[in-house]
Amino acid sequence: MTDESLIREVDEEVRQDEYKKLWDRYGTLITGAIVLAVGAVGAYEGYKYYQKSQSEAASIVYMEAAKKAQDGKFDDALAALAAVKHSGFGQLAKLREAAVLGEKGDIAKAVATYDALAADTAAEPALADLARIRAGYLLVDKSTPDQLLTRLGKFDRDDSPWRFAAREIFGLSAFRIKDFVMADRYMNAVYADAGAPAALKQRAQVMIQLIAPDLPKK
């Protein structure tokens, strides 16, 4: 045996001895850490599976409720929607519940449901804003333009993605109370907006034509 190989052998024995000392001292902790890590991975995978299964179950219930609403089975649809507890689909279910109540003619409950979703701090901001807009459409026949401006005034800005719907609501409400100047102003704002959806522009154009004969002569 050469001096070099002897040195290597001694060095290896020293390292093994050090490893043994470390294992004797910390082996239990290391094993525990490994078990915890494996357990954490297993728990996370289990949670993901649970979430997926819950989401799938909620989506089925939601779609069945939507079908019942389309078939005019409003009470059955409302009962099914109330059973949707999933966080994501639960918010969609609330929107659909309010829509079904509106179709039933229960405007007060529909608006209250929309308002509850809009006030829910856990709701997705886009869904909360959609709830506000839908409530506004339901209130066109009952509220004054000033009342609707109080509700939806924050959308009456050129940088708001909801400006088209809000301005249509204000225009329709103004038309209802025969404030034709205000109605014409808002309908023209919708019609002239390059970003407005085609359907809203078409409705605005029809309203502008209806309003025109009642405007003050220049």
Side-chain angles (χ1 to χ4, degrees):
M1 180 180 294
T2 65
D3 291 343
E4 185 178 347
S5 62
L6 179 60
I7 291 171
R8 281 202 304 270
E9 186 174 340
V10 171
D11 187 50
E12 182 66 25
E13 288 181 358
V14 169
R15 280 203 301 269
Q16 289 178 1
D17 187 56
E18 290 298 323
Y19 291 153
K20 184 177 183 305
K21 288 179 181 178
L22 285 172
W23 183 260
D24 290 342
R25 180 177 298 181
Y26 301 112
T28 303
L29 293 176
I30 293 170
T31 303
I34 293 171
V35 170
L36 285 175
V38 172
V41 171
Y44 176 67
E45 291 299 323
Y47 177 73
K48 284 201 302 183
Y49 175 78
Y50 172 78
Q51 287 288 86
K52 181 181 178 183
S53 63
Q54 289 291 100
S55 178
E56 289 174 350
S59 68
I60 292 171
V61 175
Y62 176 82
M63 295 306 296
E64 288 176 348
K67 179 65 168 58
K68 289 173 182 176
Q70 289 175 353
D71 294 341
K73 300 175 181 177
F74 299 132
D75 291 336
D76 291 342
L78 290 170
L81 289 167
V84 179
K85 303 301 182 184
H86 185 268
S87 57
F89 279 99
Q91 295 176 34
L92 292 176
K94 281 297 178 184
L95 276 176
R96 189 70 183 187
E97 178 185 343
V100 171
L101 288 167
E103 291 176 53
K104 280 188 66 176
D106 196 340
I107 304 302
K109 279 189 178 179
V111 171
T113 303
Y114 280 133
D115 286 348
L117 178 57
D120 186 352
T121 56
E124 288 292 326
L127 292 181
D129 286 344
L130 177 57
R132 293 182 179 96
I133 290 293
R134 286 189 175 180
Y137 275 113
L138 290 179
L139 291 169
V140 161
D141 291 334
K142 299 178 177 295
S143 300
T144 66
D146 286 344
Q147 289 171 328
L148 290 169
L149 280 164
T150 298
R151 275 180 162 267
L152 306 175
K154 71 174 186 175
F155 301 127
D156 190 12
R157 305 189 321 266
D158 290 339
D159 62 344
S160 171
W162 302 100
R163 64 186 182 276
F164 322 113
R167 289 167 178 171
E168 181 180 43
I169 290 168
F170 302 149
L172 290 171
S173 179
F175 181 77
R176 181 181 65 83
I177 65 170
K178 295 182 170 53
D179 187 340
F180 299 117
V181 173
M182 181 180 183
D184 183 68
R185 174 162 57 86
Y186 275 111
M187 290 303 173
N188 270 288
V190 175
Y191 184 68
D193 195 323
L200 264 71
K201 290 174 76 75
Q202 290 171 2
R203 293 201 298 267
Q205 185 178 30
V206 171
M207 289 301 300
I208 290 168
Q209 294 170 351
L210 286 175
I211 293 165
D214 295 303
L215 290 174
K217 304 300 180 184
K218 294 183 180 180

